[in-house]
Amino acid sequence: MQATTQTHSQEAHSHEHHHDPGFLRSYVFSSDHKVIGIQYGFTALAFLFFGFLLMMCMRWQIAKPGLPVPIVGPLLEHLLGDVAKGGVMSPDLYNAFGAMHGTIMVFLAVVPLAFAAFGNYVVPLQIGAVDMAFPRINMASYQCFAAGGVVMFVSFFIPGGAAAGGWTSYSPLATIIPTQGQTFWLIGMVLLITSSLLGAVNFIATVIQLRAPGMTWMRMPFFVWAQFVTAFILLLAFPPLEAAGILQLVDKVFGSSFFLPTGLIVSGKPLDVSGGGSPLLWQHLFWFLGHPEVYVLILPAMGVISEIIACNTRKPLWGYKSLVYSVLAVGFISFIVWAHHMYLTGMGTKISTFFQTTTMIISIPSVIILTCLFMSLWGGSIRFNTPMLFALAFLPMFGIGGLTGLPLGFNFSDLHLHDSYYVIAHFHYVVAPGTIFALFAGVYFWYPKMTGRYMNETLGKIHFWLSLAGMNLVFMPMFFQGLYGMSRRMSDGGATYALANPANEGIVTALTNTVIHLNVFITHAALLLLVAQIPFIINVFMSMFNGKPVESDNPWQATTLDWQTPTPPPHGNFTKEIVVYRGPYEYSVPGASSDFIPQNQPDAKPAK
Amino acid sequence: MEIPYTVKPRPDTGLYNAKLGIWLFLASEVMLFGGLFSSYILLRVGADLWPHGMLSIPIGTFNTFVLIASSVTVVMAWANLKLGNPGKFKFYMAITILCALGFLSVKSYEYYVKFTHYDVWFKDDATAEKYFKAAYGEKGPEEVRELFVDRFHLHNTNAKYDPAQIQLVGHIAGNPLCTNLKKLLAAKQETIKFTADPPKGSHEHPHEIEVKLSDVQRLSAYVPAHSTFFAIYFTITALHGLHVLGGALVLAYFLFTVDKWWKKAPEQFTNRIEVGGLFWHFVDLVWIFLFPIIYLL
Amino acid sequence: MSHDHSHSHGPGEACAHDHGHDDHNSPEYIQKTIKKYLMVGGILFGGTVLTVLMYYVHIPSVAITIAVALLIASVKAGFVAGVFMHLSDERKMIYGVLLCTVFFLIGLMALTIWAMHDQPFQTMIGGKPA
C-alpha cells in the first residue's frame, strides 16, 4: 500500500497515504475500489450460494411434496419453527423461499457481482484511473448494500418469516399478508436501491471524468461501455421502484391504500382501509425498473464475455462500433418496454401493441451484440482455457434464453405462456447459464490479477462441464412443462392440480404424469448442479494459497489497461503515468512484434 | 495518489467531479419524485372523488415564500464566496438555514393540525342524521351536505346524501393524536366528545356533542390511512421534508466549518457550496410543483 | 481566484485548466449575476402570488386552472434551474444526462397513463365496471 509516484499537489491534504492504514481501514472500511470490488464479490457469491440453497429446498418440495427435506429439514424446523414442522416445507415457507430466492438472486447476488464487484474492480483499471471518482461514496454504497443484505437475511427469522408475495411483491397480496416480512423486504430494498444509486453516480462520474489521457470514448473497452450503460439504467430506472417501495411501505406501516382498491374483501371480510388505490400502479412502477433490470443483469455479463473472447481468440472484437451503439440502444429502449410483463392485466390492444413493438425492436440490438460476439470467434486462434469455455458456453445459452423470450413479448402467445414454467425456463436461461456463466468466466479471468495466482484449470474444467450439463438438464425440461401449462408458484409442483383431473392421461388441459415426473428429474439435475459448484468453491480458496503463480503482470497477454498494472494492483493502481495511444483490442496486428499491443504502448517508428 | 479533477474542471468535459456527481444524483431524484408525481396523477384521475381545500393555503404560501427566499440566499452565499467574502457568506448561509428550520417548523405544525382533525362515518343513514342534527340543529343534514359538496367540488351537480361519503368533521375532546376506532375500542372507550367544524360560511364551532362509538362505522384522523389524498400528501411532503432536513444539515456543516476550509482550500470549498446549493435549489424546485398541485388544484 | 492546485495529468491538459472561464469568475460578472439572482427571486415571489390569486379568483374551467397553474410552476422551475442552478450556461454532458432523464420521465408518465386508460374493461382504480 505505497503511495505511487504520481504527482502530488504541493498542498497538504488531510488524506494520508504514507503509512499502513491498519486492518480495518484496509479490508473493512476501505475506500479503495479494488477492496470494495472484492468485498462486493465475496458477499455476492455468498448470497448466490444461499439463494441456490433456498432453491434446492423448493425443488425438493416440488419433486416430493409433503416429505421432509433431507439433511437440512431438522435445521429448518429448528430455526424457523412451525412453518417447517417435521422438516417438511409448508406452502407458506415455500412462498417465502420463492420470493426470497428471486430477490436474493437478482438484487443481492447477480447485480452486485456483475455490476458492483467486477465494475468496481475492473472499470477504473481499464480506463486508467487511480480510483473511483468518489471513493468514500463508494464505501458508503457497499455499506448500504451490506445493511440491505442483513435486513433481508434477518427477515427469515422474524415471526411469520420473510416476504412471501413473490419477488415482484404485487399488491394487494404483498400488502395484506399480515406478517412483517414484506416490511423488512421493503426496507431492505430501499437500502439496496440507495446502494445502487450511489454506485451508479460513482461509475458514471468515473467513466466521464477519470479516463486517462488519450482514452477517448471509442477507445474504451466494451466492458466499460457495458458498465456505463448499466449505471445509467440503475440511475434512472431504480428511483421509480424506490418511489413504489416507499408507497407500499406507507401502505404497510401506516395503513394507507395506494395499491389497495375500494371494496377489497380478504378471507370473506371487507378490508378496513380507505381504498381508492390501484394495484396496477405498483405493477407499472415495479416493471419500470423490473425490465431494465434484466439489462442490468445481462449487459455487464456481455462486457465480461467480450473481454474474454477478444483476449482468447487473439483477434479484435468483430464490430466494436456496432457493439457500442447496440449497447447504447439497448439501454435506451429498455425503458419503454416494461409493460410486456403486464399483458394479462387487461391491457387494451393499442397499448399492448405499442409495448409489443418496442419489445421486438429491443431484440434487434441484443441480437447484434450476440452476433458480433459469435463473429469474433471466426478465424481466431482460440485458447480453450476455463474462462473461455464459460464464455463460449454463454453465447448459445444466452441465445436460447433470448430467443425463447420472443414468444413472451408477443401478447397473443404470452396469454398462453404467462406465469408458466416456460417463463421460469426463459429467464433462467438468460440469467443462470447466461449471466452467471459470464460471471464465473470473469472470476477465472481476473483472478490472476486480483491474487497473482491462476485458478486450477482441472477443477475449473470439471466445474464448467458439470455446470453446463446441470444447467441444461434443469432448465430445458421446464420449457416443456410450461408449454404443457404447468403454472409457476405451485408449492407441490402441480400434484394437486393433476389429481383433480383423475383421468388426466390424454386430456389436453391436465398435467400428464410425464410432466409431473419431470419435477423429480429436474430436482436430480439441480443436485448435480449443486455438486458442480463444489470444485469452484474449493478452487477459489485453494488457489489463493497454492495456485500457480503468474509469470508476469499480464498473464493472458491482454491489451487493456487492467493488465498493465502491478499484480495485484497497489493503492493508486498504476506505477507509471498512463497515456493511451490505441484502441482496446489490438491483437494480432499485422507486422507487430508480438500478437498484442497494449493500449498504453506508443506507436513505434515504422519498421520499414 | 490523487484523484484528478476534484477541484479543477476536466478540460474536455468542463466539469469537476462533484458537479457531475450532483447532477447525476439530481437526475435520479427527478425520477424518484417523477414516480411519485405520476402516482399522484394516476390515483387522482382514477378516484371517484378527490377532496379540495383540505390544506391551509396561507400556510402553504408562507412556506413557499420561505423556500424561495432560502434559494435566493444560498445562491447569494455562493456568489459572495466567489467574490472572496466569507463574512457575507456566513450571513446568507445562516439565513438559509433559518429558512430551512422555519419551513420544517411550519410543516410540523401543519402535520400536527391534521393529526388532530377527524372525520367520522356512521353506520347508517338514520344514525348519521341523528348526529348531524345534534351537532348543527334541525338544518344539520343540509349543513353537512354543503360541507361535503364543498370538499369534493360538486357544486354544479346534485350531489346526493351518501352516508359512505358524508361524514361529521371536527375535533375529539382532548385532541388525541392519530387515533382511530380500533384504538379507541381497545382502550375500552364507549363514547367520545366531538366538536364539529363550523358550517359553511361561518367561523363559530357548533357545541360539543357526545358520539357513541357503537354508532360509528369508521373514524380517522387526517393521516395516510384516512384517504388516498392524505396518503399521497403525507408521503410526498414527508419525503420532501427529509430532503430539506438533509440539505439543511449539510449546509449547516458548511457554515460551521467555513473558517477552517476557507483557509485550507478556498476553491474546493466554493465548489462544495455550489454543489450543496444545487441540491438545495432542487428541493425548492420540487416544492414549486408540489405547492400548486397539492394545495391549490 | 487562487490556484493552489496544480495537477499535471498527461500531456496537453495542464495548460487548458484556467482559461475560458475566467470571465465567469471576475468580480464584475458576479456582481451582475447577483443582481440577476435578486431579480429572479422577485419573479418567483410574483409567480407564487399569481398562482395563489388564481385559486381565489376561481376560474370556472378546471382544465384551464390546471394548465395555468402548471405553466406558472414550470416557468418558476425554469428560472430556478436556469439561473440559480446555472443550467442556462452549463456543459453538454449535463444537458445530455438531463435530456435522457426527461425523456424517460415522460415515458414513465405518458405510457403509464395511457396504459391505465386503454383498457377493454374499465376495472381500474375505483372505477365501475363498464
Side-chain angles (χ1 to χ4, degrees), chain A residues 212-360:
Chain A
M215 179 63 87
T216 56
W217 289 100
M218 280 301 163
R219 282 179 181 171
M220 291 200 315
F222 182 66
F223 178 76
V224 177
W225 271 110
Q227 294 282 355
F228 185 64
V229 173
T230 306
F232 260 105
I233 295 176
L234 285 176
L235 184 78
L236 299 178
F238 245 136
L241 179 65
E242 185 154 32
I246 292 168
L247 296 181
Q248 201 178 59
L249 197 61
V250 176
D251 269 5
K252 190 87 189 140
V253 178
F254 298 106
S256 61
S257 25
F258 288 117
F259 303 126
L260 302 175
T262 309
L264 196 63
I265 291 177
V266 180
S267 317
K269 270 191 286 183
L271 206 61
D272 181 26
V273 293
S274 65
S278 160
L280 276 186
L281 177 61
W282 168 266
Q283 296 193 22
H284 278 293
L285 294 174
F286 181 86
W287 287 115
F288 185 81
L289 161 88
H291 200 78
E293 181 78 8
V294 174
Y295 296 96
V296 171
L297 298 170
I298 199 67
L299 293 183
M302 287 170 164
V304 171
I305 294 303
S306 60
E307 295 306 300
I308 292 171
I309 284 186
C311 176
N312 286 309
T313 53
R314 313 309 294 165
K315 66 189 272 286
L317 276 185
W318 195 88
Y320 169 78
K321 274 195 181 164
S322 33
L323 279 169
V324 169
Y325 292 128
S326 297
V327 82
L328 288 171
V330 167
F332 209 74
I333 305 170
S334 74
F335 281 86
I336 48 171
V337 299
W338 78 85
H340 65 217
H341 293 269
M342 298 166 59
Y343 288 143
L344 256 69
T345 57
M347 284 177 121
T349 45
K350 292 190 219 64
I351 185 79
S352 71
T353 306
F354 173 86
F355 279 109
Q356 178 174 301
T357 311
T358 52
T359 306
M360 292 307 124

Side-chain angles (χ1 to χ4, degrees), chain A residues 7-8 11 13 17 130 132 134-135 197 201 204-205 208-211 235-236 239-240 242-243 246-247 250 254-256 258 274-278 281 285 288 571-572, chain B residues 1-5 10 12-13 15-18 20-21 24-25 27-28 31-32 35-36 39 42-43 182 218 224-228 231-232 235 239 264-265 268 272:
Chain A
T7 46
H8 287 264
E11 195 188 22
H13 261 265
H17 296 300
V130 292
M132 296 289 266
F134 311 111
L197 215 68
V201 168
I204 300 171
I208 292 178
Q209 290 288 96
L210 301 191
R211 279 166 296 130
L235 184 78
L236 299 178
E242 185 154 32
I246 292 168
L247 296 181
V250 176
F254 298 106
S256 61
F258 288 117
S274 65
S278 160
L281 177 61
L285 294 174
F288 185 81
H571 200 55
Chain B
M1 182 198 95
E2 193 77 42
I3 293 164
Y5 314 121
R10 180 180 164 115
D12 59 349
T13 59
L15 298 164
Y16 55 89
N17 297 344
L20 180 62
L24 290 168
F25 178 69
S28 87
M31 292 304 285
L32 175 66
L36 290 170
S39 308
L42 278 168
L43 291 168
K182 218 190 262 170
R218 186 159 178 256
H226 176 276
S227 59
T228 313
I232 197 87
T235 308
L239 194 66
K264 207 167 70 180
Q268 193 177 8
R272 285 185 161 202

